[in-house]
Each structure stands twice: as C-alpha cells, then as structure tokens.
Amino acid sequence: MPPLPRLTKILLLTCGALFLIESLLGSSFALDRWFGLWSINSGNFMPWQLVSYALLHNSISHLVFNMLGLWMFGSELERLWGDRRYGQLLLAATLTAGLAQLTMGFLSPGASVTVGASGATYGLLLAYALTFPRKQFDLVGFLPMVLMIMPGQLFYTLGLILFVVLFTNRSLIPIPPLPIPALQMVMIFGGLELLMGVMFSRSGIAHFAHLGGMLGAWLMLRYWRGQPPFSAKKRW
C-alpha cells in the first residue's frame, strides 16, 4: 500500500470521523438528512449535497472499501499530480456521480438518499488505469468487489468474507494470481456496472452513480490533455 499524501489523508480522516460521529449519536444526529444526496422530487434536496454526500457512509464495509480505493489509487495519483489537480478530479467525479444519481432518481420518482464516495472512487479507478495503463493487478483481488455489487445479501456476505481472506492471507485462496492490465480491469468493471444498473435498477446500489463518477474523471482527463470534446489547448 502506498504512503498517504496530504489530501488523501484529510479525506480518509474526515470520512472516518463523520461515520464515527453518526454511529455514536445515532438518529439524534442524522447527517444524511442534510448532507446526503436526496432526489430532487423528495423535497429534501439542497445544492451542497452534490458534494457532501460523498463524505458520508452507511456501513463500516461501505466506508472501508471506499477508503481502500481512495488509498490504493488516489495516493499515487496525488503524488503524481499534486493535491490541487487531484482534488479537481475528485470533485469532477463526485459531481458527475451525483448528477447521474439525481437523473436516475428523477426517472424513478420516490424519496431516496444516496451517500458514499463510491462514485469518486470509480473515477479514481478510471483515472489510474488511463494514467498507468500497463500496471498489472491480480484479478482475483477484485473478485470481492464484483460479488458485493451484485444484488442479494448472500453475494455481499461472500464478497466480504473473500475480501478479509485475501487481505489477511492470500495463500488460502486456491486460485493462482491472474494478472490483468489496469485498463482492461476498468473496462470489465464498467461493463459490469452498466449490466447491473440495467438489470437490477432497484438493488439499492447506485450503479449509474459509479458510471457517472467514471465519466467525470474521463472528461477531466480529456480537458487537461486538450482532447475532444474540449479545445486542443493542453492544461497539464
């Protein structure tokens, strides 16, 4: 695991502290009432929620997985780009993920709230793959994430157990490492998210917000590089 640069450390501590505060104070201090992302037709939507929702999480596993993604992919990008450019990409991914979720909420009316940095994390995943396309990952190590985005408590539980085993003792898994380039891995995840979003739109997982986060990161990278749909002027 990479060392923690400044902005990544701040975000990890902030998300952890907010989760701890809400867990200790319970319903008497429901942060998601004001800072979670509510659907536009719920009557609870406020503009700042398009950013603040990413700092809140509804379970310890939700928090841990997002913070691991922030640490694994965000740390290296922040050291490469600096905290200013890194923060811009995180903000873009957070906003587009939120807008994608609002769009889905508008198409499927009902009062619902979204929390979590998953959209921003998926944006980081895409940015990492486009920045380091030849980096190799063990595909087995991402199997828990695949299981946990599938509908059903059984898949979620299996993914959580597999994650703990992989994290503590990889040799217990009787599957040899399956190296895969980062870019191919992201394409697989993007395809799975699209499939899950279309087939299981009411699973409670914001699949289209994840895709929205990836879109925001992709657009930000193209903006910096002066690639269509933006002007040819590079901003690196």
Side-chain angles (χ1 to χ4, degrees), residues 145-228:
M145 289 179 61
V146 174
L147 290 171
M148 293 177 77
I149 66 174
M150 296 179 70
Q153 185 62 39
L154 176 61
F155 289 114
Y156 186 88
T157 303
L158 287 174
L160 194 59
I161 293 171
L162 183 58
F163 166 75
V164 173
V165 173
L166 285 169
F167 196 75
T168 55
N169 192 347
R170 172 66 173 85
S171 62
L172 291 177
I173 305 298
I175 304 175
L178 301 173
I180 183 172
L183 195 54
Q184 291 183 22
M185 180 192 68
V186 170
M187 293 173 64
I188 291 172
F189 269 98
L192 283 173
E193 287 291 348
L194 180 60
L195 180 64
M196 294 294 176
V198 172
M199 295 182 63
F200 305 103
S201 59
R202 298 186 181 276
S203 66
I205 299 175
H207 296 291
F208 285 101
H210 299 167
L211 292 171
M214 296 174 82
L215 175 63
W218 180 77
L219 288 172
M220 182 58 74
L221 286 171
R222 294 188 73 82
Y223 171 74
W224 289 338
R225 295 170 178 176
Q227 297 172 330

Side-chain angles (χ1 to χ4, degrees), residues 77-153:
L77 290 173
E78 184 178 356
R79 289 200 306 275
L80 176 66
W81 293 338
D83 55 4
R84 181 172 176 269
R85 192 174 290 273
Y86 172 65
Q88 289 173 353
L89 186 129
L90 276 176
L91 180 60
T94 299
L95 288 172
T96 52
L99 290 171
Q101 187 62 17
L102 288 181
T103 301
M104 296 307 298
F106 182 78
L107 295 175
S108 303
S112 60
V113 62
T114 301
V115 296
S118 301
T121 303
Y122 271 78
L124 285 178
L125 182 62
L126 178 72
Y128 188 92
L130 292 175
T131 305
F132 308 106
R134 293 185 178 85
K135 284 268 189 176
Q136 297 283 317
F137 288 96
D138 179 4
L139 189 59
V140 178
F142 287 87
L143 185 57
M145 289 179 61
V146 174
L147 290 171
M148 293 177 77
I149 66 174
M150 296 179 70
Q153 185 62 39

Side-chain angles (χ1 to χ4, degrees), residues 49-85:
Q49 294 172 0
L50 278 167
V51 175
S52 61
Y53 79 95
L55 300 174
L56 306 178
H57 294 83
N58 57 18
S59 70
I60 187 65
S61 60
H62 190 205
L63 174 70
V64 168
F65 271 88
N66 280 333
M67 296 304 99
L68 275 174
L70 191 66
W71 185 6
M72 291 171 62
F73 305 113
S75 295
E76 196 161 352
L77 290 173
E78 184 178 356
R79 289 200 306 275
L80 176 66
W81 293 338
D83 55 4
R84 181 172 176 269
R85 192 174 290 273

Side-chain angles (χ1 to χ4, degrees), residues 11-26 29 31 54-64 67 115-116:
L11 291 172
L12 288 172
L13 291 174
T14 301
C15 291
L18 290 174
F19 180 78
L20 182 61
I21 289 171
E22 191 162 26
S23 298
L24 291 175
L25 298 181
F29 199 74
L31 290 173
L55 300 174
L56 306 178
H57 294 83
N58 57 18
S59 70
I60 187 65
S61 60
H62 190 205
L63 174 70
V64 168
M67 296 304 99
V115 296

